Amino acid sequence: MTILRLKALLGAGCFSLALIGTAMHPAHAGGLERGGYDIDLLFDPAPFATEAEATYVMPDRKYKNALGPGGANLGLSSTADGAEGYWVPRIGAKVQVVQGVDCMVDYSQPWGAHTAPGSTWNGAFSNVETDIKSNNYAGTCSYKMDAGKGQIRFIGGLFYQDISGFKESLVNLTPALTGRVDLKASGWGWRAGIAYEIPDIALRASLVYNSQVKLDNISGTLTLPGSSTPIFGATEYMPDSLELKLQSGIAPGWLAFGSVKWVNWSLLQSVPICPVGFPTSSCVTGSPVAVTSLDLMYRDGWTVTGGIGHKFNDAWSAAGQLSWDRGTSHGYGAQSDTWTLGGGVAYTPRPNIEVRLAGAIGVMTSGHSGTLAGENGYVAGVDASYDFGNDLVTAISGGLKIKF
C-alpha cells in the first residue's frame, strides 16, 4: 500500500534543485502490506525534522462466480465485495545527535488487511469478515563519513510490533450462525543497511534489510454460538524484507528515482489455531488438535518502482511514478499483480515547511481462487472458490514536514 508522499531534498552545485520523490511503495501491495517500512526521513539534511502523513486506499475488488464447500451452490449470492478501504498513518521525527550521527523515531502501521464480503455469499463458510491491524514503534540511527566524492552511511535500528485481528465465518447455514476468532501477538525486529550519497548531484543509493518479527505469543478467543474457548497459535513470523533504492539528478531541476523490494511473504502459509492446554508441538494445521486455521498461503512479494521528479520554482515541485507489485496469491486468495500510476505535488511556503498532496490509480489484475496444497499435505480453499476480474484501486495522501 502506498504512501505517495513528496520529499524535498536540497541539491547543490550546478543542479541547485529540490528533489522530489514519491514513496517507493505501490498504492495496494501484496500480502498483509500497507505502509511497509520507510526510513527516508533519516536522510533529511536538516538538524531536526518531523513529519506526519496519512494515506487512504480504496481497493474495489469484486468476487464473482462464487461457490461454497466442495464447489456447491448454497443458494446464496455468487458475488461479493472483496476489500474494504483503509487508512495508513505515519509520524516520525529525526535529529542530528552529533556531526555525522542522525537518529529518528517513528510510528507506523506496516501490516493489515480488511475484507468483509458478508454472510450472504456462497463463500461465507470461508470468510464473512477478516480484519488485521498492526502498530510499529521504531528507532533508527545512522553514521556517515566521507568516502570519495560523497559520503557513506551505515544504518541500524530496532522496532517493536503488535499485531491483532479477528476473522468471522459461517458455521451453520440454516439458521445462519457465525463463529469468530480473535487473535493478538507481538514481537521485536531489527534493521541494518548502507547508503552512499553525493549531495552535489542529488545521488543516493541505499540498501536496507528489515528482519523477521517472531510471534511466539499468539493468543486469543474462539467464539461459537453459545460457547467461548481460549486459544493459541503456533509460532509464526512477520516477514523480513530487503529494499534497494536509487535516485539521482539527471538535469537542472530534474530527478530520477527507483526501487526494488523483496518481502518474504512465503513465511505465512497456514496459522493453526488450537485450544489452550494442548502442547505447542501438537498445534499443526490439519491435525485433530487444531480447531481452525488462518489460511494465507502466500508466495514472496516483489515490488519495482520508477519515477521522475521536477522542481518548478522554490515553492512548487511535482513527481510521478509507475509501480508494479507481484501478487502474493498463486491459486488461493485474491492478491494478484497490481500496476499503479501515482503523482503529487509539494508546496514549500517557507524553507522549513513543506505540504504534500498526492494520489494514485491502479489496476489489480484478474484471477481465480480455489484449492491449493500446502505444508503437511493440507489443502486450503476447500470451503470456497471464486473468480475476480481486473479491478480498480485508488489512493489519496497528504503530509506535512517541519524542519529547522
Side-chain angles (χ1 to χ4, degrees):
M1 143 344 313
T2 298
I3 301 175
L4 296 161
R5 63 182 187 176
L6 299 173
K7 306 168 184 153
L9 303 174
L10 291 179
C14 63
F15 284 87
S16 185
L17 52 81
L19 301 183
I20 300 298
T22 54
M24 308 296 186
H25 302 289
H28 187 64
L32 299 176
E33 185 161 346
R34 285 193 169 172
Y37 300 119
D38 189 344
I39 62 168
D40 284 355
L41 182 62
L42 188 67
F43 294 94
D44 194 289
F48 177 82
T50 182
E51 66 178 0
E53 61 186 14
T55 300
Y56 188 67
V57 182
M58 296 160 281
D60 190 27
R61 176 63 89 193
K62 302 293 186 183
Y63 300 156
K64 57 186 180 181
N65 304 322
L67 296 172
N73 186 341
L74 304 180
L76 303 176
S77 175
S78 62
T79 63
D81 290 335
E84 300 292 311
Y86 55 87
W87 284 97
V88 183
R90 184 188 304 273
I91 186 169
K94 170 261 180 185
V95 64
Q96 182 185 78
V97 181
V98 297
Q99 186 66 35
V101 177
D102 298 288
C103 289
M104 66 169 282
V105 294
D106 70 289
Y107 165 79
S108 63
Q109 296 180 358
W111 321 124
H114 190 197
T115 61
S119 60
T120 59
W121 73 301
N122 276 327
F125 279 95
S126 172
N127 183 28
V128 169
E129 183 175 8
T130 300
D131 193 4
I132 300 173
K133 301 180 184 296
S134 68
N135 295 292
N136 189 80
Y137 310 89
T140 307
C141 291
S142 70
Y143 170 71
K144 62 181 178 181
M145 56 186 293
D146 292 338
K149 295 181 179 180
Q151 298 172 321
I152 190 169
R153 187 187 296 254
F154 300 96
I155 302 166
L158 294 173
F159 48 88
Y160 172 80
Q161 288 179 11
D162 64 68
I163 314 291
S164 62
F166 69 86
K167 180 176 182 179
E168 292 183 353
S169 56
L170 206 64
V171 295
N172 191 74
L173 185 59
T174 306
L177 301 174
T178 61
R180 173 171 168 141
V181 172
D182 287 89
L183 295 173
K184 61 180 181 179
S186 60
W188 289 85
W190 56 270
R191 64 170 51 105
I194 190 170
Y196 185 71
E197 303 160 88
I198 304 179
D200 286 353
I201 59 172
L203 184 144
R204 183 202 302 159
S206 65
L207 182 66
V208 178
Y209 172 79
N210 296 282
S211 77
Q212 298 176 13
V213 177
K214 185 178 183 180
L215 304 177
D216 57 0
N217 57 355
I218 301 175
S219 63
T221 304
L222 170 64
T223 303
L224 296 172
S227 68
S228 180
T229 304
I231 55 176
F232 73 98
T235 298
E236 295 291 337
Y237 296 85
M238 296 309 294
D240 48 338
S241 65
L242 183 66
E243 185 168 20
L244 172 68
K245 289 186 176 183
L246 301 170
Q247 68 172 50
S248 179
I250 54 176
W254 291 90
L255 168 75
F257 58 89
S259 68
V260 179
K261 180 174 66 174
W262 164 81
V263 184
N264 190 15
W265 284 115
S266 59
L267 282 174
L268 291 175
Q269 295 298 301
S270 180
V271 183
I273 307 300
C274 304
V276 169
F278 286 91
T280 302
S281 59
S282 65
C283 189
V284 178
T285 297
S287 72
V289 172
V291 292
T292 187
S293 62
L294 176 60
D295 298 331
L296 299 170
M297 314 298 284
Y298 291 146
R299 64 177 178 177
D300 288 352
W302 286 91
T303 305
V304 180
T305 298
I308 296 288
H310 180 57
K311 178 185 178 182
F312 298 100
N313 51 49
D314 289 341
W316 291 95
S317 302
Q321 71 172 32
L322 178 66
S323 297
W324 167 74
D325 183 79
R326 188 182 82 155
T328 53
S329 297
H330 54 117
Y332 171 79
Q335 298 271 353
S336 59
D337 287 14
T338 301
W339 290 88
T340 309
L341 181 65
V345 296
Y347 174 56
T348 308
R350 298 181 181 180
N352 65 325
I353 297 176
E354 178 184 298
V355 181
R356 305 183 293 251
L357 181 64
I361 186 168
V363 175
M364 301 176 291
T365 56
S366 60
H368 172 78
S369 177
T371 58
L372 181 66
E375 301 170 352
N376 305 315
Y378 175 74
V379 178
V382 296
D383 46 7
S385 65
Y386 52 88
D387 299 320
F388 44 90
N390 294 317
D391 293 320
L392 189 69
V393 58
T394 55
I396 57 172
S397 177
L400 173 67
K401 176 185 280 189
I402 300 174
K403 55 186 178 179
F404 50 85

